[in-house]
Amino acid sequence: QKVLAELDRAKRQHPKWPLDVFCALSILSEEMGEAHQAALEAAFRGANPDEVEAEVIQLGAMCIRFLENWPFRTRLGPGGQA
């Protein structure tokens, strides 16, 4: 339920989603990095562990958005050619 609420919020705030798989994956990577950062800060700096959950909720929402937009326009051919 939290993930779906975040998905709705994100779609309203950022209605456009990348058309290529690389840019879309970079969004997932950014969200994962923020979750890692929140976990590190909670574990080693005494930050609020609820921030980890908040970041993972955002990551989950972006994973759903990624899958909603699959398949992407960008496809790699032989030898890594787009």
Side-chain angles (χ1 to χ4, degrees), residues 12-67:
R12 280 182 283 137
Q13 186 175 0
H14 304 285
K16 294 186 179 183
W17 183 257
L19 297 177
D20 70 274
V21 69
F22 301 107
C23 289
L25 283 171
S26 71
I27 293 171
L28 299 186
S29 295
E30 177 188 9
E31 295 298 339
M32 179 61 96
E34 291 173 359
H36 275 119
Q37 184 67 35
L40 286 168
E41 290 188 13
F44 298 109
R45 294 192 177 157
N48 186 345
D50 291 343
E51 289 301 315
V52 179
E53 179 188 28
E55 294 297 341
V56 173
I57 287 168
Q58 291 175 11
L59 174 60
M62 293 306 99
C63 287
I64 291 170
R65 200 161 184 194
F66 180 93
L67 292 171

Side-chain angles (χ1 to χ4, degrees), residues 76-82:
L76 291 179
Q81 299 295 317

